[in-house]
Each structure stands twice: as structure tokens, then as C-alpha cells.
Amino acid sequence: MPSKPLRVLAVDPGLTRCGMAVVDVAPNRQATLVDVRVVGTPNTASIGERLATIDEAIADFFESHRPDHLAVERMFAQNNTPTVVGTAQASGVVIAAAGRRNIPVALLTPSEVKAAVTGNGSADKNQVTAMVTRVLGLDSPPKPADAADAMALAIAHAWRGGLHGRGLDTGKLTSPARPSKFPGVTAKNSRPTTPAQRAWLEAERRAR
């Protein structure tokens, strides 16, 4: 286990609003907010201008904070196809920026983040924001939602295995540890026993 905190740069991608947060997570899972920013671009700007703005912002975060890992929300195609396409474009920019710096990348689904942070893969935004506020010891809930989502991504990535170097650069979702290594689980009882553990694995199964 590392002796120093893992520094995670997490991005909630989007063209109109792109949330970026840097969080330090200690080996004992204590998390501290380092920086947060929501980058916004008007929909009247060209796609090149919008992506360039995101590229400049993520480059500044990489150079200013020297993160160990990058965590990005993984999106799924839904009814709003233009939104999904724009989100994918923003994701590509930040992932490429990490690749140029040899920074490991992790992709997390919204359900996985919710399960990691709240113990419930179906938690709503208010519940996630409340837990983020509590975990980071913030004086007030972070706003806008894109900021809170980015913070939750960073926390979830570290807690799901980033502290141990697992679940990176595979494009696949992996548990934070094998079931037999979950706290309170023995070889005779290899199934997760806590609600948070069960929610976590259920979120992964739905995302595959």
C-alpha cells in the first residue's frame, strides 16, 4: 500500500460544462480536495473552440497538480445522441492529454461511482453530493453538479482500487478487490457481506 496519498484528477466530461477536480486520497481512504473547476463554453462556439478550451484547462490541471491517475466518467448511448457525442469528444480530449503524459486512465460508470461513494448504485444526485461534502469535509455542498460529480469520480476511483493500482487502462470495470479480500469475507463465505459491497458489484454487473 502506498505511503503517500494518491492524487486523482477526475473529469465529468461535457462540452457545455466540464467538471474537473483534483483529490488526494490517503491509504486510510481519507480524502482531501485540492482543486476544482467547471469549464464552460457556449453552444454558439465552434466545436474546435470548445474542445480547445477543455484541452487548455486539462493541460493546466496536469501541469499545476501533477496527478497520479486520471478518472473519467464513462458514458452510455441514450436517447440524446448529440449530448453523448459531445461528451465522448470531451472525454477523448482529456484522455489524450493523460496519454501524452503517461498518466494511467480509469473509466467509471455513474452507477459504479454512486455505489462506491454512497453504497447505493441508484443514489440520486443529492445523495451523492451529500456524501462528497461529508467525505471531503467541505463547509457546504459543492456547486454546480458537475463539480460534485468530478469529486465523486476521484473518490470512487481511489476507493475502488486506484490506491492499489488496479482497474487502470483496461477499459473494463473491476472490483476494488476480489470478493475473498473484502473486509469480513472468508474463504468459506466468498460473497460480499455488506450492503455497499453488494451494491458495488451489482452496479458493475449492470454496466457490463
Side-chain angles (χ1 to χ4, degrees):
M1 181 176 292
S3 59
K4 66 182 184 67
L6 178 76
R7 176 160 290 186
V8 181
L9 167 55
V11 178
D12 178 33
L15 287 181
T16 301
R17 292 186 307 276
C18 186
M20 302 179 184
V22 178
V23 175
D24 284 347
V25 184
N28 66 359
R29 293 163 58 99
Q30 182 174 352
T32 304
L33 178 64
V34 177
D35 197 1
V36 62
R37 183 188 308 175
V38 176
V39 180
T41 56
N43 56 17
T44 54
S46 69
I47 184 62
E49 292 173 328
R50 304 181 79 178
L51 293 177
T53 298
I54 295 171
D55 186 51
E56 291 170 3
I58 198 69
D60 179 59
F61 260 50
F62 274 122
E63 299 307 316
S64 298
H65 300 297
R66 304 289 180 178
D68 300 304
H69 293 175
L70 171 70
V72 183
E73 181 175 298
R74 173 184 291 191
M75 294 297 297
F76 292 94
Q78 298 176 343
N79 293 332
N80 194 346
T81 302
T83 298
V84 172
V85 171
T87 300
Q89 291 168 332
S91 297
V93 167
V94 299
I95 292 171
R100 288 193 293 270
R101 296 167 175 82
N102 295 315
I103 302 296
V105 177
L107 303 177
L108 293 82
T109 67
S111 292
E112 188 179 17
V113 172
K114 294 174 183 178
V117 175
T118 71
N120 177 6
S122 300
D124 61 29
K125 284 187 175 293
N126 290 335
Q127 291 173 306
V128 173
T129 298
M131 283 303 299
V132 166
T133 303
R134 178 179 176 183
V135 168
L136 293 175
L138 304 178
D139 294 332
S140 60
K143 294 181 180 180
D146 311 87
D149 289 346
M151 296 177 201
L153 275 163
I155 295 167
H157 168 60
W159 286 2
R160 72 189 278 267
L163 283 167
H164 306 282
R166 289 191 292 270
L168 299 174
D169 280 328
T170 62
K172 297 166 61 178
L173 298 177
T174 57
S175 302
R178 293 182 182 276
S180 61
K181 293 183 180 180
F182 277 124
V185 180
T186 65
K188 294 182 179 180
N189 177 23
S190 62
R191 296 179 62 82
T193 58
T194 71
Q197 292 162 0
R198 291 192 293 270
W200 199 325
L201 294 181
E202 179 59 28
E204 286 190 6
R205 282 193 289 268
R206 288 198 303 269
R208 286 172 182 159

